[in-house]
Amino acid sequence: IRNPGQEPRYVVSVPGTEGPEIQTLEAWGGSDAANDWHANVRRMAAGTNSYDEGVKEAIRRAIEADRLAHPDEEHGTPIVLLTGHSQGGYAAAYLAADEQFASQYDIRGVVNYAGPIDNAGVPSSTPVLSLVNGNLGRGDLIPTLDGGRLHILGGLPGPFGDIGSTVAKVHDLVSPTHIEQVRMPSRGPTWDLKANHGQPGYISNVQDMYSPN
């Protein structure tokens, strides 16, 4: 992004999970995609995977190419906004938490769609916007897989919801305060992963947020 009199800013959109469908054997080890479902498991277990290294290199090359194309500009520390959906949002958050990576850029923030990032360790100096469709009773379950945002339990019916609300209050006391979560409408019941977690549903909800009434 270039505005007169300002340094260029780079918006990095990290792709989410790709490759074979979740129900296939190839998705769990036989895929050529570095960001397949197997990569999701490796990330949850180790906090990172080879996909991150590829993303880092892609960012470096893209900014380098852009600067070579604009030789007359003064080049300071690149200003970057990291974004991503699902595994892409998860990767974006962990890149922001990576001290070695972050030292090379001026990271102005992270925008996460549907990724489980509460426990990613993003520094408090980096603002984070996390968008989630619905709640556990009716919505996207994936953003809670790291144990974060337990207040979704409040969406359950009857006494379960009351218990969930109490757990949520305790959780919020220890949750990162710089992560601003926006809960958008659900796209269907929790079991409908495609409707609730899929990128089209998130795009539709964000478009609705900004559509004039």
Side-chain angles (χ1 to χ4, degrees):
I1 299 174
R2 283 180 166 80
N3 292 321
Q6 297 181 1
E7 294 184 58
R9 291 160 290 167
Y10 300 94
V11 179
V12 177
S13 179
V14 184
T17 303
E18 298 178 346
E21 294 293 329
I22 188 173
Q23 69 271 17
T24 64
L25 290 177
E26 290 80 6
W28 301 99
S31 167
D32 293 330
N35 54 337
D36 60 7
W37 286 99
H38 187 217
N40 277 314
V41 175
R42 293 198 304 272
R43 181 184 300 283
M44 294 301 293
T48 185
N49 57 30
S50 60
Y51 182 47
D52 292 349
E53 300 306 313
V55 172
K56 292 177 186 178
E57 181 64 12
I59 293 171
R60 185 191 67 78
R61 290 186 181 186
I63 293 177
E64 182 180 85
D66 180 74
R67 289 185 163 186
L68 287 173
H70 298 85
D72 296 333
E73 292 181 347
E74 294 186 10
H75 298 151
T77 302
I79 299 173
V80 171
L81 174 68
L82 298 168
T83 74
H85 168 263
S86 190
Q87 185 175 179
Y90 194 81
Y94 273 85
L95 289 178
D98 182 330
E99 293 184 6
Q100 183 176 6
F101 173 83
S103 68
Q104 303 172 54
Y105 302 96
D106 181 0
I107 300 177
R108 296 293 176 89
V110 176
V111 179
N112 165 61
Y113 299 81
I117 66 164
D118 274 16
N119 297 319
V122 179
S124 59
S125 57
T126 303
V128 180
L129 176 63
S130 185
L131 296 106
V132 179
N133 284 343
N135 53 48
L136 184 59
R138 187 176 176 83
D140 190 1
L141 180 61
I142 300 300
T144 70
L145 293 183
D146 67 342
R149 298 294 167 180
L150 297 179
H151 63 267
I152 63 162
L153 296 173
L156 293 174
F160 297 104
D162 294 336
I163 295 172
S165 297
T166 301
V167 172
K169 291 176 183 178
V170 175
H171 174 267
D172 286 344
L173 291 176
V174 297
S175 292
T177 57
H178 63 294
I179 297 182
E180 182 67 30
Q181 189 179 76
V182 176
R183 303 205 68 80
M184 302 184 294
S186 70
R187 308 297 297 187
T190 297
W191 54 262
D192 193 342
L193 182 64
K194 184 175 182 179
N196 282 303
H197 187 67
Q199 202 167 32
Y202 275 86
I203 292 173
S204 294
N205 272 345
V206 171
Q207 289 175 336
D208 290 343
M209 286 172 60
Y210 289 95
S211 297
N213 294 325

